[in-house]
Each structure stands twice: as structure tokens, then as C-alpha cells.
Amino acid sequence: MKECVLVTGGAGYIGSHTTVELIAAGYDVVIVDNLSNSEFKAVEGVRTITGVDIPFEQVDCGDKEALGRVFDRYKFNSIIHFAASKAVGESVEKPLLYYRNNLGSLINVLELMRDKGVRNLVFSSSCTVYGQPEVLPVTEQTPRQPATSPYGNTKQISEDIIRDTVAAYPALYGIALRYFNPIGAHPSALIGELPKGVPGNLVPYMTQTAAGLRECLSVFGDDYNTPDGSAIRDYIDITDLARAHVVAVDRMVQGKSKSHYEFFNVGTGRGVSVLELIAAFERATGVKVNHRIVGRRAGDIEKIWADTTFANQELGWKAQRKLEDTLASAWAWEKKLRGIQ
Ligand code: NAD
Ligand code: WQD
């Protein structure tokens, strides 16, 4: 019998791509999502790509009774918990919403795992837990720094909650994946990132500018201590990131975890500046991106990229897709959304 994985937040950007890779790897999937930041058409896209009528439950993970009914209805031994609110700026304005949604949902998931005998949890963490590291690239041993936003704080607290919970209940295992900057879309262009309103992240803003929806991309700062002055990040392809989840689930299902709680950097190991990314996009697509340099964005860090040695060796996972291909996939998705030929 196939192993089944519960994917919370499975209608979202990373959850939808991960569901595709789980199905390709031979898992069954059940999706839970309250569609607070996604649309059902993402589930339809995943069903089209996979040819599988993946069960979808419109449930809020904050509603423990409803979530418990999902645990009763399906038989699964692993959960990938994506469901969370993720806008850094909004979290500063509405901290309680972020603490309630992100921590309340996780606690419900863990309590249900404990009470209903579900063993494995993969959790969406973030490189935001490292803040601005003193030494680059960051390894998993790089100390976390005090969070600079309620959102970032929910990721740190969530990691701690999982660590403490699996220590107290030895039937449970957890893996936190610390994502760097996920970008791009599925090669089919049937699923991709669906930001609501004006995008805050660089790549959706760039593709919307290229599509003519936005007049000009603002480059936030060219006076950083980097080779071209613009800030540096580690942009990880969404399908590569999705595969890392499959590998993490495999590891737990096959009993290969080395401790009850593990955490891994999921990046490429390569730092790319904002200006380099724009140039790579233009090369990959042949489309010019109207942009101008403006002042730094409050709260931004200067540079970060991952040391992926540990993930490469321990998980046997490595980012593969070329940056240009990833950017071309983001553009193909944007064109499809806007009906551009
Ligand atoms: P997303 O908003 O596209 O996906 C999250 C999904 O969870 C959405 O479909 C939303 O409707 C759903 N959701 C939110 N709260 C819910 C709840 N209480 N119950 C049920 N469903 C709920 O975001 P994403 O980019 O796919 O991010 C997925 C996870 O990865 C999040 O935990 C996010 O914090 C984390 N993460 C994202 C990034 C990034 O840059 N995208 C980086 C690091 C970590
Ligand atoms: C990337 C670079 C900007 C927009 C955020 C969260 C982080 C994580 C990933 C969840 C930066 C620059 C951006 C624009 C620009 N999410 N930029 N013009 O800030 O690295 O990380 O998403 O965990 O927690 O903080 O990603 O895509 O917003 O920015 O110049 O219009 O692009 O200054 O250098 P960021 P981003």
C-alpha cells in the first residue's frame, strides 16, 4: 500500500509544487487548506499535472475539531505543514494574527499527531531565523539571531515547539527545512506563485513589471557592501525545493533520521544580487525589466546564502535547476496568468 502524506497549505505556492513531487515519488496525498492565501485552481492544476484526483479538504488548521476529522478520515503517517501566514510586513501590523495562525495551527497539528499516532512532521522554516549572519555562507550551526518581525519569530518559536515536542513524545519525529528564497514555477506553467495584491517579493514584482502590470521595479538599495551594491540572496528553484520535502519524508518513513528533530538549509549555495537576478531574467527571457534604484527597504538584510553541504550529504539532495531556467519558468507562468503569447 502507498504511504499517504497530509499536506497542510497544499493549495499554496510551495505546497502545490510539493504535492506534485510527492505524487511523482509514489506517495498518496491529502491536501488541507483554508484558501486564505490561495485559490482552488491551484489544486486543479496539481490534479491536471499528476492525473490524480487528490483529496482536498477546505479546513482551517486553527479549527482543531475539523482538522481532527481529517486525521480520522484518512490514514497517513507523515505531515508536511506549510499552512501559515507569511507576509513579513503584515506580521508587524497584525502580530496576534500571525502568532495565532502560525503557532495555533502548529500546536493543533502536533497535538493531533500525538493523540492519533501520526509519526512524522516536515515543517516550513525559513532562512529568516539566521537574521544577518556574521559569517557566510550559513551552515546549520550558524546561530539563530533574534527575530526582526513577528513572522520571523513564529518560525523560531515553531522550530522550538517541534524540538521540545518530539523530545517529550519519542514516537514523534520532526524535520525543519529552512528555505532560502523560493522562486519560479512548475515547467508545465499550470501552477506557480499567486501573490495577492502588489507583490512584496522580488520575482513576482519583476515578472509583473515585465508583463506591463507594474511600471517599474524598484531595486531596494545599491549601497550595500556587495560587488554591485545590491543585496544578495540564495534563490532556490521551487521544484528543487519541493523535492527536498520528498527526500525529508523518505528519510523519516525509511527510519533514517539521526535524531528525533533535525533541521536543514534548503538553498543552492550560491548568492545572487538583485541586479544580477534582473540581468539573468533578461537573458533567460529576452524581455527587458524596467527598473530603477531606490533607497534600501527597512528591515532588509544585506546578504545571505546557504552552505548546503549538510543537506547535500545527509539528505542526498541538491538543487539542480539552472537559475535562467527557473526565471524562464516564472515568466512562462506570468504570461499564462495574463494571457500573453
Ligand atoms: P502560501 O501562502 O502560498 O501557502 C500557504 C498556504 O497555507 C496557503 O494556501 C494558505 O491559504 C494556507 N493557510 C494559511 N493559514 C492556514 C490555516 N490556518 N489553515 C489552513 N490553511 C492555511 O505560502 P508559501 O510561499 O507556499 O509558504 C508555505 C510555507 O513556507 C509557509 O509556512 C511559509 O511561512 C514558509 N516559507 C515560505 C517562504 C517563501 O518565500 N515563500 C520562505 C520560507 C518559508
Ligand atoms: C529579495 C531581494 C529585496 C522586492 C522574504 C522574507 C523571508 C522569506 C523570503 C519567508 C531583497 C529586493 C525585493 C522589490 C527589490 N520568506 N527587492 N525590489 O526579503 O529576502 O525575504 O521572503 O520566510 O522571511 O523576508 O525576499 O523577494 O522580498 O527580496 O529590490 O520590489 O530583492 O530588497 O534584497 P527577502 P524578497
Side-chain angles (χ1 to χ4, degrees):
M1 209 178 76
K2 280 187 179 179
E3 283 269 347
C4 181
V5 181
L6 176 71
V7 177
T8 76
Y13 176 42
I14 308 172
S16 57
H17 290 80
T18 299
T19 300
V20 168
E21 299 304 322
L22 284 166
I23 300 282
Y27 288 97
D28 281 335
V29 174
V30 176
I31 293 177
V32 160
D33 202 300
N34 64 1
L35 301 182
S36 58
N37 197 41
S38 52
E39 292 177 18
F40 182 69
K41 69 178 180 200
V43 177
E44 292 174 329
V46 172
R47 287 177 176 166
T48 304
I49 294 167
T50 59
V52 178
D53 194 21
I54 299 153
F56 171 76
E57 299 282 348
Q58 187 167 351
V59 165
D60 189 323
C61 295
D63 181 344
K64 192 174 168 188
E65 277 181 28
L67 190 59
R69 285 194 288 277
V70 175
F71 277 64
D72 294 337
R73 198 167 307 141
Y74 303 92
K75 195 172 160 32
F76 48 83
N77 216 7
S78 303
I79 300 176
I80 307 181
H81 182 53
F82 292 105
S85 307
K86 65 161 181 178
V88 176
E90 186 188 45
S91 81
V92 176
E93 285 153 30
K94 301 175 183 167
L96 294 174
L97 187 149
Y98 275 67
Y99 286 115
R100 179 180 291 281
N101 195 36
N102 294 7
L103 302 182
S105 295
L106 174 67
I107 291 168
N108 285 344
V109 166
L110 285 166
E111 284 182 345
L112 287 165
M113 288 175 69
R114 177 198 61 193
D115 296 343
K116 294 179 185 286
V118 175
R119 185 171 178 267
N120 307 319
L121 179 72
V122 179
F123 175 71
S124 301
S125 190
S126 168
C127 69
T128 194
V129 302
Y130 295 116
Q132 175 59 70
E134 278 162 26
V135 181
L136 287 165
V138 283
T139 73
E140 287 77 358
Q141 272 64 57
T142 300
R144 296 185 325 186
Q145 295 198 26
T148 53
S149 71
Y151 167 75
N153 208 19
T154 69
K155 291 299 172 193
Q156 297 207 357
I157 297 169
S158 294
E159 286 191 351
D160 295 346
I161 289 173
I162 296 167
R163 180 201 60 208
D164 295 347
T165 303
V166 300
Y169 304 105
L172 304 186
Y173 285 79
I175 292 182
L177 298 179
R178 292 175 174 168
Y179 316 152
F180 282 68
N181 287 53
I183 61 166
H186 191 265
S188 65
L190 286 168
I191 52 171
E193 195 168 3
L194 264 184
K196 289 202 168 151
V198 181
N201 293 116
L202 177 58
V203 168
Y205 205 104
M206 190 163 70
T207 55
Q208 290 194 7
T209 306
L213 265 82
R214 314 271 159 216
E215 211 176 294
C216 185
L217 168 68
S218 297
V219 174
F220 297 139
D222 70 346
D223 56 351
Y224 285 111
N225 181 24
T226 61
D228 66 20
S230 65
I232 291 177
R233 299 287 185 274
D234 185 334
Y235 295 95
I236 169 82
D237 177 81
I238 187 68
T239 53
D240 282 333
L241 174 59
R243 280 191 307 104
H245 293 81
V246 177
V247 172
V249 171
D250 288 346
R251 181 176 177 87
M252 292 193 287
V253 166
Q254 293 164 9
K256 290 185 179 157
S257 299
K258 297 222 169 117
S259 64
H260 279 260
Y261 174 60
E262 299 180 302
F263 49 96
F264 298 94
N265 286 344
V266 186
T268 66
R270 174 185 172 199
V272 174
S273 76
V274 175
L275 291 172
E276 284 173 337
L277 198 80
I278 295 170
F281 179 86
E282 292 180 340
R283 262 197 319 276
T285 63
V287 181
K288 288 280 165 210
V289 181
N290 188 24
H291 63 278
R292 64 161 184 267
I293 311 286
V294 301
R296 294 180 179 191
R297 183 170 68 178
D300 265 352
I301 61 163
E302 182 167 88
K303 50 189 165 190
I304 188 166
W305 63 94
D307 183 326
T308 59
T309 312
F310 186 58
N312 297 162
Q313 288 176 355
E314 271 300 314
L315 294 176
W317 167 91
K318 204 172 177 23
Q320 286 171 357
R321 214 170 176 197
K322 285 203 196 75
L323 181 62
E324 277 77 5
D325 293 344
T326 302
L327 291 168
S329 75
W331 178 230
W333 166 245
E334 187 71 56
K335 284 200 295 185
K336 177 112 184 296
L337 277 180
R338 310 299 162 199
I340 300 170
Q341 291 304 311

